[in-house]
Amino acid sequence: MYTHERHVITHGKPLSQTGKALIMIHGRGASAESILSLADYLPVDDFSLFAPQASNHSWYPYSFMAPTEQNQPALDSALDQIHDLVKSMAGEGISSQNIYLLGFSQGACLTSEYAARNAQQFGGLFLFTGGLIGPQLDTSNYKGNFKNTPVLITTGDPDPHVPVSRVEETVQVLEAHIAVVTKKIYKGRPHTILQEELELAKEILTRTQESE
């Protein structure tokens, strides 16, 4: 078992210039560089991008629906890494509504878990094929108020890693904490991110920028 070395790749202008951050969390077996490449398809030229790198290219060793203790201490270490990143941005005077979070697969699971445990008004959450972590959801873990944060959550039906039922449960938790959720389930879609999913993310990013 392992804890994560703190290694974050940044891209774009410094946060002091942009005032807006997109934190991008990669999936199992992938890298910070690979998730950063998604930025080429999103309207984020005016954002500072941050992509943490998991040790061993995995945020936790087993399935996100395995008994939670099997994924420790890696899971807590991964959650702490996101929390510390958000906290450091707050320390630079960046409000939570100017912080956006994006993840794919294992990264989307980690992102949803972090956000639900620390609900606040984020700029937006983009959960590409993921859901809350654990064999069953312990709703006492989830605290705070998203204050109408827009959330995009997607998966395939079936998906080899993320059952539709867990996506549905995740939507219920996020909405209970006052998130505005767009859910898309794609029949027969492989474990990937479709162009349509990126278009939906673009819409949220454009809408939130226009409302500033």
Side-chain angles (χ1 to χ4, degrees):
M1 303 302 286
Y2 51 86
T3 55
H4 297 282
E5 295 176 12
R6 298 303 174 94
H7 180 51
V8 180
I9 295 178
T10 58
H11 188 71
K13 297 172 187 171
L15 196 53
S16 58
Q17 290 182 29
T18 65
K20 293 191 297 261
L22 175 62
I23 300 172
M24 308 178 77
I25 310 296
H26 69 75
R28 188 188 298 274
S31 66
E33 289 91 345
S34 66
I35 196 76
L36 276 171
S37 68
L38 275 186
D40 295 340
Y41 305 95
L42 297 170
V44 291
D45 288 348
D46 294 332
F47 283 72
S48 302
L49 308 180
F50 297 81
Q53 174 64 54
S55 300
N56 304 322
H57 297 276
S58 179
W59 292 110
Y60 43 84
Y62 298 103
S63 162
F64 81 116
M65 295 180 73
T68 303
E69 60 272 14
Q70 291 184 11
N71 280 319
Q72 298 293 13
L75 174 58
D76 280 351
S77 175
L79 290 167
D80 285 347
Q81 187 159 347
I82 300 176
H83 185 66
D84 289 349
L85 196 49
V86 170
K87 199 162 63 175
S88 73
M89 292 171 184
E92 290 188 51
I94 307 301
S95 63
S96 63
Q97 56 261 44
N98 285 320
I99 299 172
Y100 296 68
L101 298 163
L102 177 155
F104 170 62
S105 190
Q106 191 187 53
C109 296
L110 188 65
T111 300
S112 63
E113 186 71 18
Y114 167 76
R117 293 185 184 203
N118 301 274
Q120 54 199 295
Q121 187 180 7
F122 292 108
L125 305 177
F126 306 101
L127 310 173
F128 296 114
T129 311
L132 291 165
I133 294 173
Q136 294 87 33
L137 298 187
D138 179 357
T139 55
S140 67
N141 286 333
Y142 311 128
K143 297 176 173 61
N145 185 329
F146 284 114
K147 298 180 182 177
N148 297 314
T149 295
V151 178
L152 173 64
I153 186 167
T154 65
T155 195
D157 182 15
D159 182 86
H161 305 290
V162 180
V164 171
S165 58
R166 178 51 57 90
V167 171
E168 303 280 11
E169 289 177 294
T170 300
V171 170
Q172 289 176 9
V173 168
L174 297 177
E175 288 182 338
H177 290 266
I178 324 301
V180 178
V181 181
T182 300
K183 176 190 72 181
K184 292 292 181 180
I185 296 171
Y186 299 94
K187 286 282 184 187
R189 189 211 66 182
H191 191 70
T192 187
I193 301 175
L194 301 177
Q195 183 62 37
E196 182 184 331
E197 295 171 70
L198 293 171
E199 292 298 329
L200 291 167
K202 267 189 207 175
E203 286 177 23
I204 291 173
L205 282 161
T206 302
R207 192 168 69 242
T208 55
Q209 298 312 296
E210 287 174 349
S211 66
E212 285 183 353

